[in-house]
Amino acid sequence: MKKKIIIICTITGIIFLILGGNLLFKYYKIKNAVINVSLVEKLETEFLSDVKVSDFITDINGKIINDYNINTKKVGKRKVNFKYINDDNIEINYSYDLRIVDTSPPVVWLNDNYTVTLGSEDNLIKDILCGDNYDNNPLCEIIGDYDINKINSYPLIFRATDSSGNITEKNFNLNVVAPNNKTNYNNSQTYFSDIIKNYKTKDTEIGLDISHWQGDIDFDKLKKAGVEFVMIRVGRTDGIGGKYVLDTKFERNIKEANRIGIPVGVYFYSYANSEKSAKSDAKWVLDQIKDYKVELPVAFDWENWNSYNEFNLSFFGLTEIANSFLDVFKKVGYEGLLYSSKNYLEKIWLKTDYPIWLAHYTENTSYQGNYTFWQICSDGIVDGINAPVDINIRYK
């Protein structure tokens, strides 16, 4: 019995010696491994840049195991950790410090002339769009003297400074004028039949986007007129954080479109000021459309540009809000779509993974980005609707 115990103990000891020896050898091997990693001179990259671990390595004695995309969504220093196998087949842990910077200046949405009415409230800082790609609250200020209560033209400077020290200055004339009670009417008309004639191809479909503004629509007439799809407004919120308001014609519009067989997409007019509120918007929309056939995309429509400064949002934050809304629908099988006009797509919205619904009222758009829907006019005339309507082109 004692002999058996001695044998077992001896074998166990040998095993521990072997394991311990292997561990010691591995430790010695790693400790004395040849590490030769050369980095770029300036370890710096732009906010939201698309970069990988290897982009900052000029030479390495081996092969990187995990050459991943670096998260550049926050300005400041980021430690980049990675592993590589050196030329002696030893796995090495390595890291370097990368600085993420923002060099993009703020945006000041302002023409050379800005006109206000004599005696009106001084809301220049509030009303003139002043925003930044990264900073939620850039410093916005007007340089120069003026008097809202005195008719004159005042040469001023609008200055915006973000948290990274980037500055935008815009020279403009503030024109204080007497009240004008004249109303300008736009009597232009675009016939649906002309859009079909000029833009209908085997790769396009011509349709409308509709809401309560179009009243009671005769969908049988729309079908006969050649309407190939409709984007229907579901509703909105009553301002920031307000209650949900269903479009008064939504149920009638979607039931009629489903009845007549016109393909349907929907859109929601949002006042979301956070990802949380955007997700809440999306869940409300889901509840409204769940019993209907919606085969075209669900669109996020955010157009609060006149009050943008009140939202305290960076352009990145706004884009993340749109993504949060559309992600909800993607998860349950709907397509997503971001609606906006050409100028805001070019100057405000950042890159998104979702297709674009472009609003640009012109015969030939100069927008250089990709888009799958084009809202070509807002003064459309079509049989079945007794009001102006937006006409759209969908690219298959």
Side-chain angles (χ1 to χ4, degrees):
M1 184 66 179
K2 290 183 178 179
K3 186 176 181 181
K4 188 176 181 180
I5 293 173
I6 293 172
I7 293 172
I8 292 172
C9 290
T10 302
I11 293 173
T12 303
I14 293 172
I15 291 173
F16 275 111
L17 282 172
I18 293 172
L19 291 174
N22 285 336
L23 288 173
L24 286 171
F25 177 73
K26 188 175 182 181
Y27 172 77
Y28 175 82
K29 191 177 180 182
I30 292 174
K31 185 177 180 181
N32 293 278
V34 177
I35 300 175
N36 184 9
V37 180
S38 299
L39 304 173
V40 298
E41 185 176 345
K42 193 173 185 180
L43 286 168
E44 188 174 281
T45 192
E46 191 70 24
F47 169 63
L48 291 185
S49 58
D50 186 12
V51 291
K52 291 184 176 182
V53 172
S54 60
D55 291 335
F56 302 92
I57 298 173
T58 58
D59 188 39
I60 188 168
N61 65 322
K63 185 177 180 181
I64 297 174
I65 298 173
N66 52 334
D67 191 14
Y68 59 87
N69 288 316
I70 300 171
N71 185 344
T72 59
K73 292 183 178 181
K74 186 176 181 180
V75 169
K77 190 172 73 172
R78 170 173 288 277
K79 184 169 288 293
V80 179
N81 301 299
F82 67 96
K83 296 179 180 181
Y84 81 97
I85 302 292
N86 75 358
D87 295 334
D88 296 321
N89 203 34
I90 301 172
E91 184 177 299
I92 308 294
N93 292 315
Y94 200 87
S95 68
Y96 58 82
D97 291 327
L98 179 68
R99 185 169 180 78
I100 300 167
V101 300
D102 168 31
T103 62
S104 297
V107 170
V108 175
W109 202 284
L110 183 62
N111 293 322
D112 293 337
N113 289 279
Y114 190 87
T115 302
V116 296
T117 303
L118 178 70
S120 60
E121 190 174 350
D122 186 358
N123 288 327
L124 298 184
I125 294 294
K126 177 182 175 182
D127 292 344
I128 296 173
L129 193 155
C130 174
D132 187 62
N133 64 325
Y134 181 77
D135 192 347
N136 288 330
N137 296 286
L139 174 63
C140 306
E141 53 189 338
I142 292 176
I143 312 300
D145 297 323
Y146 62 92
D147 186 352
I148 294 286
N149 297 303
K150 184 177 179 180
I151 294 176
N152 206 340
S153 181
Y154 302 92
L156 302 171
I157 298 173
F158 196 108
R159 179 186 294 161
T161 308
D162 68 17
S163 56
S164 296
N166 302 302
I167 298 174
T168 295
E169 288 190 347
K170 175 68 178 177
N171 294 293
F172 73 105
N173 291 314
L174 174 64
N175 302 308
V176 180
V177 300
N180 183 358
N181 295 322
K182 292 182 179 179
T183 303
N184 294 320
Y185 294 97
N186 182 3
N187 295 318
S188 64
Q189 294 180 333
T190 302
Y191 288 92
F192 188 81
S193 56
D194 288 338
I195 298 298
I196 289 179
K197 179 181 177 181
N198 295 326
Y199 295 94
K200 174 63 183 171
T201 70
K202 63 181 179 61
D203 297 318
T204 63
E205 292 177 345
I206 312 300
L208 311 170
D209 64 88
I210 56 177
S211 68
H212 71 278
W213 295 110
Q214 281 69 51
D216 288 335
I217 298 172
D218 188 328
F219 280 81
D220 292 284
K221 288 184 178 180
L222 290 192
K223 187 80 169 179
K224 290 179 182 178
V227 174
E228 296 178 285
F229 68 90
V230 287
M231 298 293 291
I232 301 174
R233 189 173 86 152
V234 180
R236 59 180 174 82
T237 53
D238 190 15
I240 302 174
K243 67 178 182 179
Y244 289 103
V245 180
L246 187 71
D247 188 281
T248 56
K249 298 298 179 182
F250 168 71
E251 291 183 343
R252 183 184 188 278
N253 284 339
I254 198 166
K255 286 177 181 178
E256 283 293 282
N258 283 173
R259 175 187 67 82
I260 205 69
I262 298 177
V264 167
V266 298
Y267 68 97
F268 177 77
Y269 191 102
S270 179
Y271 287 87
N273 63 348
S274 68
E275 293 180 39
K276 181 179 179 180
S277 59
K279 291 175 182 177
S280 177
D281 290 351
K283 291 174 182 177
W284 182 83
V285 173
L286 274 175
D287 285 340
Q288 311 312 311
I289 68 175
K290 63 184 179 182
D291 296 327
Y292 302 105
K293 186 177 182 181
V294 178
E295 58 264 68
L296 297 183
V298 177
F300 181 74
D301 179 12
W302 199 99
E303 302 180 52
N304 308 294
W305 309 114
N306 290 335
S307 57
Y308 184 81
N309 299 355
E310 298 177 33
F311 282 79
N312 299 314
L313 281 174
S314 67
F315 305 153
F316 172 69
L318 178 61
T319 305
E320 289 293 275
I321 283 173
N323 288 335
S324 295
F325 177 91
L326 297 173
D327 285 347
V328 172
F329 294 95
K330 182 179 180 180
K331 289 177 181 177
V332 293
Y334 290 94
E335 295 179 54
L337 197 64
L338 173 63
Y339 171 88
S340 196
S341 64
K342 173 182 178 291
N343 287 336
Y344 294 109
L345 287 168
E346 291 175 336
K347 297 180 180 180
I348 303 294
W349 292 101
L350 303 184
K351 183 180 178 182
T352 175
D353 294 330
Y354 290 97
I356 298 299
W357 178 4
L358 168 69
H360 192 200
Y361 303 154
T362 179
E363 292 183 359
N364 296 290
T365 181
S366 56
Y367 180 63
Q368 296 298 306
N370 295 321
Y371 55 95
T372 56
F373 284 72
W374 175 17
Q375 188 184 77
I376 193 170
C377 71
S378 61
D379 58 359
I381 300 296
V382 63
D383 192 26
I385 297 179
N386 296 319
V389 64
D390 301 336
I391 302 178
N392 295 268
I393 301 167
R394 175 178 177 245
Y395 297 87
K396 294 190 242 181

